[in-house]
Amino acid sequence: VVKTVYMEVDVDPSQQVEEAEYVIALCQRDDNPMEAAVISGRPASEAFGPYVRRFRDSPYIKGVRQVLHGAGTPAKYCLQPEFVRGIQLLGELNLSFDLCVRPDELADAAALIDRCPDTRFILDHCGNERPERSDHSAWQKAIADVAKRKNVVCKVSGIVDKASQDWDAEELAPVVLHTQEVFGPERVMFGGDWPVCTLGGSLSSWVTALKTIVANQPAAQQRRLFAENAISLYGLSK
């Protein structure tokens, strides 16, 4: 049976509780593969504490995410004192935070992680690097610095929608392989990023490309990437 983790979809804050409760109900159904969720949240909000505490004992809620790479989010937003306090609270509640930032703000991500040493972080989408770029050096250095922090793992996801129109596995490989190199085999995990991935290709084409990229890696390492690390890091059943 394939187990899945629901990832928040950037709903309006007024709908966050409704979204979370809807997803919990899906997780409780025997005919749904969804086992757990990373729900939406606004850590800088005064309402964040009461909001997130209501789910602290739910076995289905594993963490929180706020998309930070949108055009309306200013640079260094994640370093505001109110935001940092919200992320520190997640650590106290044993909940993780999915970091979804622009590639030129990975230094801000590293600074946030340093200020929240007791919180588990998941860096989404390989730091949102664009595979079609000819020069990955700035991203390579920045994501390697993030990877030095041991309380962060990286989700290998969300890159086909940023690739060229005619992308192939060879174009994606430098981003995937560098991410694996700096985080190591125990701190990377596959993410489908469906339906956003369909902006660049089908989910099956993304999975096939990733399998091609890692085909020569040990089978145990591939199992970690595609399943075992997520099971462990999000606390899922096997």
Side-chain angles (χ1 to χ4, degrees), residues 20-36:
E21 292 178 343
Y22 173 73
V23 172
I24 289 173
L26 290 177
C27 292
Q28 293 171 331
R29 291 173 50 169
D30 293 333
D31 62 347
N32 193 295
M34 195 179 299
E35 182 172 339

Side-chain angles (χ1 to χ4, degrees), residues 106-183:
L106 286 170
D108 293 345
L112 174 65
I113 295 167
D114 285 341
R115 296 177 191 183
C116 307
D118 297 323
T119 303
R120 292 173 288 114
F121 289 87
I122 295 91
L123 179 65
D124 288 348
H125 308 331
C126 300
N128 277 308
E129 175 66 341
R130 303 190 71 87
E132 64 179 339
R133 287 180 175 172
S134 58
D135 182 5
H136 296 296
S137 58
W139 165 81
Q140 288 172 338
K141 181 179 179 181
I143 198 170
D145 186 55
V146 172
K148 294 176 182 177
R149 282 83 181 160
K150 299 306 180 185
N151 59 324
V152 58
V153 303
C154 192
K155 194 175 293 179
V156 180
S157 62
I159 57 177
V160 296
D161 64 299
K162 303 174 187 68
S164 65
Q165 185 174 356
D166 300 319
W167 66 266
D168 55 17
E170 183 177 0
E171 180 179 314
L172 307 183
V175 174
V176 172
L177 296 176
H178 182 72
T179 298
Q180 287 185 298
E181 178 183 356
V182 297
F183 279 93

Side-chain angles (χ1 to χ4, degrees), residues 183-200:
F183 279 93
E186 296 182 354
R187 292 197 293 143
V188 289
M189 57 182 173
F190 164 77
D193 197 36
W194 183 89
V196 179
C197 70
T198 59
L199 295 172

